[in-house]
Structures are given as C-alpha cells and as structure tokens.
Amino acid sequence: MRILLVEDEKKAATFIERGLKEEYYTVDVVSDGEEGVYMAEVNCYDLIILDLILPKKSGMEVCTELRKKKIETPILMLTARDRTEDKVLGLDAGADDYLTKPFAFEELLARVRALIRRKNSGSSAVLKIDDLELNQITHCVKRAGREIPLTMKEYGLLEYLMLNAGCTVTRTMIFEHVWNESFDTFTNVADVYINYLRNKIDKGFEKQLIHTLRGVGYTLKG
Ligand code: CA
C-alpha cells in the first residue's frame, strides 16, 4: 500500500515515514501543499496523510483542490490544533478522518488501516484467498496453515494482489502501488518480485494462485 505524506516539519515527517515503512507501507514524503497536490495527481496513492498547516497551500486547500479534481484518495488530516471548527472544516473540505498532534503512533496506524480498508471495501484485517491468508495487522502470511516469511516488498506486492484478487493487475499498477517515487522505472521489477512470490507462495502446491496473463499482467485467484 502506497502512502503520500505531506508534512513540513522535518522531525515529524521522518518519524511518521520511518514508522510507516516499518509497517511495510511504501511512503513518499513532500513538504508543501503545492507539491502535495502535484504528487497526488500524478501517482496512485492508497492514502494521503496531510498536515493542516503547510507552506504554499494549506492542508485545507490541498484537500478541496484534490476533491474538486475528482481525486478520491482517502485523506487523513493532521493538525496541532484541537478546535472543533477546524475538524469540521477539514471534514467538509473532503478529509476522511482527522488526528490531532501529538498523537500515539499506534493511533495513526489504526486510522491508516481503517481508511485503507474502507476504501478496499473489506471489513476484516485478514485477507483470505483459497488456503492463502494474509494478516494486515501482524503481517503474518500463511498458506495451508504454514507460515511463509516474506520480505517487505514481497508482502506489499502480495497484499496488493490479494486486495485485487480476481482482477487483472498490470505491471504499471503494481509499480504504482508497491514502489515509491525514487525507484528506477526501467527495471522489470514487478516480474522479478512476482517470481520471488511464486517461489514462496505457489511452489510445491498443486493449485497455483498467481497467474500470468501474457502481455497484460497478473492475477491472483483461488
Ligand atoms: Ca505544519
């Protein structure tokens, strides 16, 4: 799952970015509102964490502008203020949730998970396809009851495939949701990681869950 973090306070940004990466999220960080709008327009994020007070454009303006441009990515607004009118304005501007600083990182994570889950219409944190299971809270992956250790990127890719189970997922989609801005786009990284995943998820099992659609992409189905 790929997240855009728009936060101008460097310390806070580093803290949140590090914490999210430890939880296997892919994160892009920008430090002003203009760049926030630009990034949200050109990339496909699963969630935007948006600070309220930002240089160039405020969080409120960013929110309004994105919604006007029909970008419906869930937005979690952050602010140092705890005034009801700010919360109301933020929600009216199109934010999906609100968190007042200082906050416990656990609370931020819980809200991030809830917003991403809501967007993907599932209500359970455990995704299941056939005998394959992925727990979004513990990051534990099992096939036929046996735990399968995955690297962060393999986990991110599998989570994305499972959230889109039965649908065709193109290399571009994989790239946009699982890798971040700084990655070299000219590599065949999606294919490489699909192979890693196949070796861990499908190898040794009679039923293959990851299918290749020649020239199109991949699909995961039971
Ligand atoms: Ca700020």
Side-chain angles (χ1 to χ4, degrees):
M1 296 290 105
R2 187 173 175 194
I3 296 175
L4 174 65
L5 171 62
V6 191
E7 166 66 273
D8 59 317
E9 288 140 69
K10 211 155 175 32
K11 251 173 102 175
T14 309
F15 169 75
I16 298 171
E17 181 188 16
R18 192 179 301 149
L20 288 173
K21 282 183 172 165
E22 278 169 14
E23 291 295 320
Y24 297 19
Y25 292 105
T26 300
V27 188
D28 290 322
V29 186
V30 294
S31 57
D32 69 66
E34 252 169 37
E35 227 185 320
V37 171
Y38 172 76
M39 291 289 277
E41 276 186 287
V42 298
N43 297 305
C44 300
Y45 293 102
D46 299 289
L47 178 79
I48 299 169
I49 301 175
L50 183 61
D51 191 31
L52 180 62
I53 300 166
L54 291 166
K56 294 185 186 173
K57 262 181 195 150
S58 75
M60 216 77 89
E61 290 172 297
V62 172
C63 216
T64 311
E65 197 173 331
L66 290 179
R67 294 308 186 230
K68 218 176 263 169
K69 288 178 172 167
K70 301 278 172 244
I71 293 166
E72 304 295 343
T73 313
I75 294 177
L76 173 61
M77 195 93 105
L78 301 181
T79 177
R81 296 190 238 168
D82 188 16
R83 285 169 34 196
T84 308
E85 57 187 274
D86 285 338
K87 292 184 191 176
V88 171
L89 283 174
L91 295 171
D92 280 348
D96 298 87
D97 202 358
Y98 215 101
L99 194 57
T100 306
K101 295 179 190 171
F103 51 80
F105 192 73
E106 281 307 311
E107 187 178 0
L108 174 80
L109 271 185
R111 284 170 192 257
V112 165
R113 279 195 298 261
L115 286 172
I116 290 179
R117 210 151 57 219
R118 210 188 295 164
K119 180 191 158 211
N120 289 289
S121 73
S123 54
S124 167
V126 182
L127 310 176
K128 277 186 198 159
I129 308 292
D130 211 75
D131 58 354
L132 179 66
E133 235 182 82
L134 177 146
N135 186 317
Q136 292 182 294
I137 297 173
T138 62
H139 309 303
C140 177
V141 173
K142 288 180 182 172
R143 176 134 194 214
R146 192 175 56 87
E147 194 173 334
I148 300 168
L150 297 180
T151 64
M152 281 194 187
K153 282 293 165 223
E154 289 164 356
Y155 175 91
L157 175 55
L158 183 62
E159 183 183 38
Y160 184 67
L161 289 171
M162 288 182 86
L163 285 169
N164 292 286
C167 304
T168 303
V169 168
T170 65
R171 289 177 182 80
T172 311
M173 286 162 75
I174 290 176
F175 197 82
E176 285 176 341
H177 285 269
V178 185
W179 275 270
N180 66 3
E181 270 299 286
S182 55
F183 215 86
D184 175 11
T185 39
F186 297 102
T187 60
N188 57 343
V189 66
D191 304 293
V192 170
Y193 273 82
I194 287 281
N195 276 333
Y196 290 159
L197 260 191
R198 275 210 169 107
N199 276 327
K200 293 189 177 179
I201 300 297
D202 276 341
K203 202 175 174 184
F205 288 93
E206 199 177 324
K207 187 170 186 180
Q208 304 292 293
L209 300 178
I210 301 171
H211 306 268
T212 304
L213 301 156
R214 260 176 172 266
V216 184
Y218 300 95
T219 181
L220 189 143
K221 57 180 184 214

